[in-house]
Amino acid sequence: MAVILKNEINKQVPLNGGHRMCPGCPVPVIVKQVLMSTDHPKIVANATGCLEVATTIYPYTSWNVPWIHNAFENAGATISGVVAAYEAMKRSGELPEKNKDAKFIAFGGDGGTYDIGLQSLSGALERGHNFLYVCYDNEGYMNTGIQRSSATPIGANTTTTPVGKKSWGKTQPRKDLLSIVAAHHIPYAASVAPHDYNDSMAKSKKAIEVNGPSFLVYFSPCIPGWKIASDVSFELSKIAVQTCFWPLVEIENGEWSLTGDSKRIAEGKKEKLPIEDFLKTQGRFKHLFKPKLQEDVLKIIQNDIDKSWNFYKKMAGYTD
Amino acid sequence: MKNIFEITWYGRGGLGAKTGAILLADAAITANKFVQAFPEYGPERQGAPIKVYNRISDDPVRVHTAITNPDFIIVIDPSLIESIDFEEELKDGGKILINTDKTPEEIKTKMKLGSKDANIYTIDATGISIKFLGKNIPNIPILGAFSDITKMIEIGEIKKHLHEKLITKYGQDIIDKNIQALEAAYSEVKQ
Amino acid sequence: MSKEIKKGWKEIPIGGLLLDAGNSREYETGTWRTFKPIHNAEKCINCYFCWEFCPDNSILIKDDKVVGMNYFQCKGCGVCAAVCPTKAIEMVKEEK
Amino acid sequence: MTTKYEALTGAEAAALAMKQINPDVVAVYPITPQTPIVMKFSEYVANGEVDTEMVRVESEHSAMSATVGAAGAGARAMTATAANGLALMWEIVYIAASTRLPIVMGLVNRALSGPINIHCDHSDSMGARDSGWIQIYSENAQEVYDNYFMALRIAEHKDVLLPVMVCQDGFITSHSVENVLPLEDAQVKKFIGKKNFKGLLTSEKPYTIGPLDLQDYYMEHKMQQHDAMKHVIPVIEKIQKEYAETFDRKYEIIEEYRTDDADMVIVGMSSVMGTVKDVIDMMREEGIKVGAVKPRLFRPFPAEKIKNVLSKFKAIIILDRSDSFGSFPPLYGEILASFFAAEKKPYIKSFIHGLGGRDTNVEMIKEVISELQKLRDTGESNFTIDYLGVR
């Protein structure tokens, strides 16, 4: 299903300009892709983080949809309460007609999702509320000044895993949140990269419209956190997929598949690029290349990427 | 507070003392009394010795303390007899009701009574329960015996209460059996 | 930056509630810019990639045609120029 | 009105009140000694006796978070907790108040670890006294029951819109069967009425709830909370009056017991005050002119009222069921502060009692009264703080 942008441009966007996100930050684009993927009325809950902070600095809000922020670690629980309220008010006949068809979407960064908010997310998924949780994964606690999270990739320089005489950055690989979420056996989960808006919006639409909890994890470059130029996020998004750093995965009712370039790579229709092509683009990995090439570390990272790529290929049925 | 009748139940966790105290409180309310029923809580699990308390009065009960000198002690599990300090616990002139097939005379020798002036009663609540209900639920016979001994709550009130409490959940047959057990106990108390 | 008259506690809704959806449209972020995108209508094929990927909702469209940028809010990130397949957007140094 | 007493524990009374309120959403996590509320309410849900959407969350943090989400969406939302559960939801307790959501929460008072202890004291709710919640303390199961309905009306009052904690003593009240006179469902429905607060996430225009509020507006929002608390006491008085007129059950913000001719009083909250009343009756028979004063409301603190009530006496002893290590115990401290500007001040002394469920018995209250007599006659122990019944 291709998205025809001409049909989108005259619709109201969910998030206005005038927010205080960094120039070039892809998160507002992610919000747009998710919320514009379907015409249902939408209610949004937002975990504390860049998106929440920068879009609602009192007395301004960028949001054109009903929106609630509660705290950092509880977007899953907060949206659970909202969904429950709607269910109850639907039954009591109190809910305005226009809200009857509403869909519920929670946004959180990787801090609020992989780490401090994982319990709340898991609880909400297990309880089966009808909502979509979107994690914009910028691979670190960027809102508080670029500290490592469990989503930070191995080798990255962060303020709590700084590169030093005895350190080459974070030494642990990323947590596989998608698999953790998939283990809840929810009807729909997927990983998404925002450069491929056709894939992103198709997945968003499915996720929002499916009956039951659903989940998207979005590749989301951070301009200051990754030490990149403000105009490269979407190009990086493409490279992340092509190096298999960010496989595009879809899990529908327990059936795993690959989509977009990931599918093409798995099927041998497209070349899998070496991880250096991804790492070289970002200041957070600069120490792996300068002052001297750290081949041993690069090897560790490539091995890690291959391991995870092989896992997803296997889950999607390409290998045994 | 002078007019509050205080009861301590001795039983084992999960084996009916708490339910017994609540039933007694329920029945007392049916008889227009003011009540309390509360267990002494600890982390114990099923089988551990526990104490449960009742207060019964004609006036509202306001006091919120543990009961240390009850007017009446109910021992629902006779295996606890030797571990209870009746001399320390019981109010002078107080009464003790024990679930046992023995007579008060027979059981008295095992009890730590010291010089305490106590009236001891026994009832084979377990036997009655098994006979009428087919299982060991000694609470109902204990209530019958309590009614007989204290005359605080008429047996008719207890019957009325049992009927109200059980009718929707269990039906007439179960109620009849419980009432038979209650009546049997009322006439089989040994002193 | 625009000077706003700040309201007192009796004049604002309780609980931090914001009633005016999307009112950040009134907040100027154009002052953040060091580079400025210039749209060239002649090169533009109206693919709307710039619209899709602009994080600040600053691509102006009229009658289904890209007509320029909302410089009141454009932060000058350059994404529009980067994603433009026909190089119809050029980033030039902001002069103020 | 029914005139038939039922034998209910404080927890069952709370659950029954919740059932009759029939809230839209209850999000709750079990913790001793609050569990019987959750279990009983779950039964009501299972039997279709309520229309409530019950969310069985995975922690207290999520309980309060979901309750905030639900109330924000426009639901009548309730929860219940105790001690460590309240501590875990702490952050969101503040958010509920500052977002001005009229949530009613049952709090079964229990000692806050450590060492871990499951029994009653007020360290949990007292820790939350500055969270912006209204706090009502209940002496017995009947008060618990009645307080729920009044709490709902107070929380949802247009001049208030603040969450309310209905506190009862863990085990002592929550697990003790007492006589409770329930109201008919229809009476409750009529008294609580339809909710009159807006559904913020179902509104005509999309609202933003919970924005980032920085140096330029944060104090204005705090001032609003500060001001809302000032409306609470008159609102409670009005609602208590209506409750008395409707159901013939009279409650006061500050309850006085045998104070008419007393020259000294014991001041305390919750279940211990029942015991205190009984002991006062005993002492009265010996001609000792002692009375009792029981604040039912701790937040907002009824300072002016308490000063007016207590300035009649020569000596007062405050019973606190929690400590404020390194400072004045909460109730004592508030009362001291209330008297700062008073011309006439009684002798005053503090006892901390009943921590971790330690039984505050008749003998201890007699000891307090004997201390009270000494205080009245000599003033020697004025401004001292002691533990009652500690070895």
Side-chain angles (χ1 to χ4, degrees), chain A:
Chain A
M1 183 202 70
V3 176
I4 300 163
L5 291 179
K6 195 173 178 177
N7 297 339
E8 303 293 314
I9 51 171
N10 294 316
K11 291 181 189 166
Q12 189 191 39
V13 294
L15 196 64
N16 277 358
H19 57 69
R20 266 61 82 77
M21 301 294 274
C22 298
C25 174
V27 175
V29 177
I30 290 171
V31 171
K32 184 160 95 177
Q33 288 180 350
V34 171
L35 297 184
M36 291 188 77
S37 68
T38 168
D39 293 331
H40 285 273
K42 282 147 289 221
I43 317 293
V44 169
N46 206 159
T48 308
C50 286
L51 176 63
E52 167 267 329
V53 162
T55 57
T56 66
I57 302 181
Y58 198 91
Y60 295 105
T61 175
S62 303
W63 294 87
N64 289 317
V65 293
W67 180 96
I68 182 168
H69 161 250
N70 189 344
F72 187 14
E73 66 285 51
N74 65 356
T78 305
I79 200 84
S80 301
V82 175
V83 174
Y86 264 70
E87 288 297 320
M89 293 191 292
K90 212 181 280 179
R91 274 206 301 273
S92 67
E94 212 187 308
L95 199 63
E97 192 58 36
K98 70 176 176 76
N99 289 312
K100 290 215 168 114
D101 213 13
K103 298 291 182 181
F104 305 90
I105 299 106
F107 287 98
D110 49 297
T113 310
Y114 281 71
D115 291 344
I116 201 168
L118 184 60
Q119 173 183 315
S120 172
L121 170 64
S122 173
L125 296 178
E126 181 272 331
R127 291 189 297 272
H129 302 286
N130 202 351
F131 77 109
L132 162 65
Y133 191 103
V134 181
C135 172
Y136 61 94
D137 183 354
N138 55 22
E139 306 183 343
Y141 304 147
M142 304 318 191
N143 189 38
T144 45
I146 315 160
Q147 295 89 20
R148 69 90 87 178
S149 78
S150 65
T152 302
I154 185 168
N157 185 8
T158 74
T159 58
T160 49
T161 57
V163 170
K165 280 178 189 155
K166 293 185 172 181
S167 160
W168 45 269
K170 192 193 177 205
T171 52
Q172 303 86 4
R174 284 162 47 77
K175 185 190 275 182
D176 182 3
L177 182 62
L178 189 62
S179 292
I180 294 170
V181 166
H184 291 75
H185 305 305
I186 57 172
Y188 190 85
S191 58
V192 193
H195 74 282
D196 188 351
Y197 64 85
N198 276 309
D199 187 65
S200 303
M201 290 181 74
K203 285 174 174 170
S204 295
K205 187 175 166 66
K206 275 192 209 173
I208 290 176
E209 293 182 355
V210 77
N211 191 20
S214 56
F215 176 81
L216 295 177
V217 59
Y218 244 103
F219 180 77
S220 179
C222 174
I223 313 299
W226 295 14
K227 299 180 178 65
I228 52 175
S230 64
D231 60 351
V232 301
S233 288
F234 300 99
E235 179 60 22
L236 259 186
S237 171
K238 196 192 288 176
I239 299 170
V241 175
Q242 290 172 348
T243 54
C244 298
F245 175 86
W246 195 269
L248 296 173
V249 183
E250 185 170 52
I251 308 157
E252 264 186 289
N253 296 313
E255 290 292 320
W256 293 56
S257 57
L258 298 172
T259 66
D261 276 352
S262 297
K263 183 176 156 81
R264 286 175 209 114
I265 294 167
E267 291 172 354
K269 293 173 185 161
K270 198 161 181 121
E271 193 193 350
K272 173 173 177 266
L273 301 178
I275 193 63
E276 280 102 310
D277 287 7
F278 176 72
L279 303 176
K280 272 190 299 198
T281 59
Q282 302 155 52
R284 61 176 172 160
F285 299 114
K286 196 175 73 184
H287 57 284
L288 303 176
F289 303 95
K290 285 177 190 171
K292 72 173 186 35
L293 193 69
Q294 301 207 38
E295 282 181 55
D296 48 340
V297 179
L298 289 171
K299 208 168 154 192
I300 293 171
I301 297 174
Q302 184 67 62
N303 280 343
D304 176 54
I305 295 296
D306 292 346
K307 208 167 97 184
S308 108
W309 172 241
N310 287 335
F311 169 78
Y312 287 116
K313 269 201 302 187
K314 188 177 147 194
M315 294 306 285
Y318 291 99
T319 56
D320 289 333

Side-chain angles (χ1 to χ4, degrees), chain B residues 12-29:
Chain B
R12 293 189 185 275
L15 298 176
K18 191 183 153 198
T19 317
I22 292 172
L23 261 175
L24 178 57
D26 263 339
I29 284 185

